[in-house]
């Protein structure tokens, strides 16, 4: 490659970073917080609860606002405080008692260093997509095994199915073993692809949103599965069917693995 071609390539890479560099520069001013061992736990909890709260408000309003019932998969169901509070309590307890010590250990062994340059926009988008596809595959295998092997189901996964009609705060109502497995999948994928810290944050935000949306119980015209073409993305009704029938729709997001193994069931068929 001659010097002229190398110069053109450098310009293209620089232009790809230009879009994200101001955002990354702003985030790096909070480097003490981002590199703190407290940050992953605080970030995870605040993002999760922040995504859940709008759906909690909708559940409170739903009995009084008939229009909302059009978009609710189970129009006659609204979670009670006796269902909501244990779910929230379980999430907070597990993050403080189990997630934080693991984060502290990881921070002590290999403290994070923030690079000066932002990732290219294409690199961020492609890595987030790959992380989601990898997570979808890993969880599909894990999920299928835990439904096929009774001991695994009873020990690790049964807790998550205590709510046959999911709601937003039930997303992380799960055993410590299941939470740990999902955390390992997240961490391994980010390390495998050598993701930029900004890419990792973006992936975690997208992953948390998609999981909350899948359990929200609301199927809106702007829901993710309506935005992704060709039925590639299952969506909230797809995952709700898994909670009610147990033997189908094991992939958390995409539909290709369920199609290949014959475990896909259409929510419309219900």
């Amino acid at each position: 490659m001659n010097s002229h071609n190398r110069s053109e390539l450098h310009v293209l890479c620089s232009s790809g970073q230009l879009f994200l560099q101001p955002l990354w520069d702003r985030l790096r001013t909070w480097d003490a917080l981002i590199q703190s061992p407290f940050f992953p736990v605080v970030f995870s909890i605040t993002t999760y609860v922040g995504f859940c709260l709008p759906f909690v408000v909708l559940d409170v309003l739903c009995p009084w606002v008939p229009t909302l019932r059009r978009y609710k998969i189970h129009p006659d169901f609204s979670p009670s405080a006796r269902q909501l509070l244990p779910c929230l309590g379980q999430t907070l307890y597990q993050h403080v008692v189990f997630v934080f010590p693991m984060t502290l250990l990881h921070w002590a062994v290999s403290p994070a260093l923030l690079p000066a340059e932002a990732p290219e926009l294409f690199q961020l988008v492609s890595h987030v997509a790959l992380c989601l596809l990898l997570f979808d595959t890993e969880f599909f295998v894990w999920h299928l095994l835990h439904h096929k092997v009774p001991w695994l189901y009873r020990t690790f996964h049964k807790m998550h199915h205590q709510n046959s009609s999911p709601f937003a705060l039930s997303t992380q109502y799960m055993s410590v073993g299941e939470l740990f497995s999902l955390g390992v999948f997240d961490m391994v994928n980010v390390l495998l692809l050598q993701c930029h810290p900004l890419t990792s944050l973006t992936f975690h935000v997208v992953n948390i949103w998609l999981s909350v949306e899948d359990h929200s119980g609301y199927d809106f015209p702007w829901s993710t599965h309506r935005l992704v073409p060709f039925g590639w993305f299952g969506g909230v009704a797809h995952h709700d069917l898994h909670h009610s029938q147990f033997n189908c729709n094991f992939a958390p997001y995409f539909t290709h693995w369920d199609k290949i193994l014959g475990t896909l069931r259409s929510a419309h068929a219900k």
Side-chain angles (χ1 to χ4, degrees):
M1 180 181 294
N2 59 38
S3 60
H4 179 70
N5 290 337
R6 283 197 300 269
S7 178
E8 287 184 344
L9 181 60
H10 178 73
V11 170
L12 286 174
C13 292
S14 299
S15 63
Q17 292 174 331
L18 185 62
F19 183 77
L20 296 174
Q21 192 65 48
L23 171 62
W24 182 237
D25 289 340
R26 176 62 62 88
L27 288 175
R28 288 181 65 240
T29 62
W30 298 84
D31 60 341
L33 173 63
I34 295 175
Q35 296 182 80
S36 163
F38 298 97
F39 176 74
V41 174
V42 174
F43 174 79
S44 177
I45 291 177
T46 54
T47 304
Y48 174 68
V49 174
F51 285 153
C52 287
L53 278 179
F55 293 110
V56 173
V57 172
L58 290 179
D59 284 332
V60 172
L61 295 177
C62 194
W64 314 100
V65 184
T67 305
L68 289 176
R69 295 166 63 88
R70 295 171 48 195
Y71 305 109
K72 197 165 175 60
I73 295 176
H74 302 284
D76 298 324
F77 169 75
S78 289
S80 65
R82 295 182 62 182
Q83 292 173 296
L84 294 169
L85 293 178
C87 291
L88 179 59
Q90 179 77 358
T91 297
L92 298 176
Y93 170 78
Q94 289 182 339
H95 276 75
V96 172
V97 176
F98 298 105
V99 176
F100 176 66
M102 296 298 294
T103 302
L104 186 61
L105 179 62
H106 182 268
W107 173 83
V109 173
S110 56
L113 297 176
L114 302 182
E117 294 185 346
E120 298 174 33
L121 180 59
F122 175 77
Q123 182 190 57
L124 182 144
V125 172
S126 60
H127 277 184
V128 169
L130 285 172
C131 282
L132 287 173
L133 287 168
L134 285 171
F135 179 85
D136 191 77
T137 300
E138 293 154 351
F139 186 73
F140 174 81
V141 174
W142 186 98
H143 200 186
L144 185 63
L145 283 174
H146 281 69
H147 275 268
K148 297 299 182 182
V149 180
W151 178 82
L152 290 175
Y153 179 81
R154 291 194 306 269
T155 306
F156 298 107
H157 191 49
K158 183 178 180 179
M159 183 177 185
H160 184 64
H161 276 278
Q162 288 184 10
N163 297 290
S164 57
S165 297
F167 48 92
L169 279 174
S170 70
T171 304
Q172 291 188 7
Y173 190 66
M174 58 184 66
S175 69
V176 175
E178 183 166 354
L179 181 68
F180 178 77
S181 299
L182 301 185
V184 168
F185 296 154
D186 279 359
M187 182 178 65
V188 167
N189 296 339
V190 167
L191 293 175
L192 182 65
L193 296 174
Q194 297 183 343
C195 293
H196 189 281
L198 182 58
T199 304
S200 300
L201 288 176
T202 305
F203 164 61
H204 292 313
V205 169
V206 172
N207 200 22
I208 292 172
W209 165 252
L210 293 178
S211 61
V212 169
E213 184 189 48
D214 269 4
H215 292 82
S216 67
Y218 289 89
D219 189 357
F220 291 113
W222 55 84
S223 295
T224 304
H225 70 281
R226 299 187 182 277
L227 305 178
V228 178
F230 310 120
W232 288 343
F233 196 90
V236 57
H238 170 92
H239 191 69
D240 185 89
L241 197 59
H242 168 76
H243 273 263
S244 62
Q245 299 190 7
F246 297 99
N247 61 351
C248 62
N249 301 350
F250 295 104
Y253 305 139
F254 302 101
T255 58
H256 55 279
W257 288 117
D258 282 304
K259 286 180 181 177
I260 292 170
L261 294 187
T263 54
L264 180 67
R265 190 165 300 168
S266 170
H268 300 292
K270 181 179 70 167

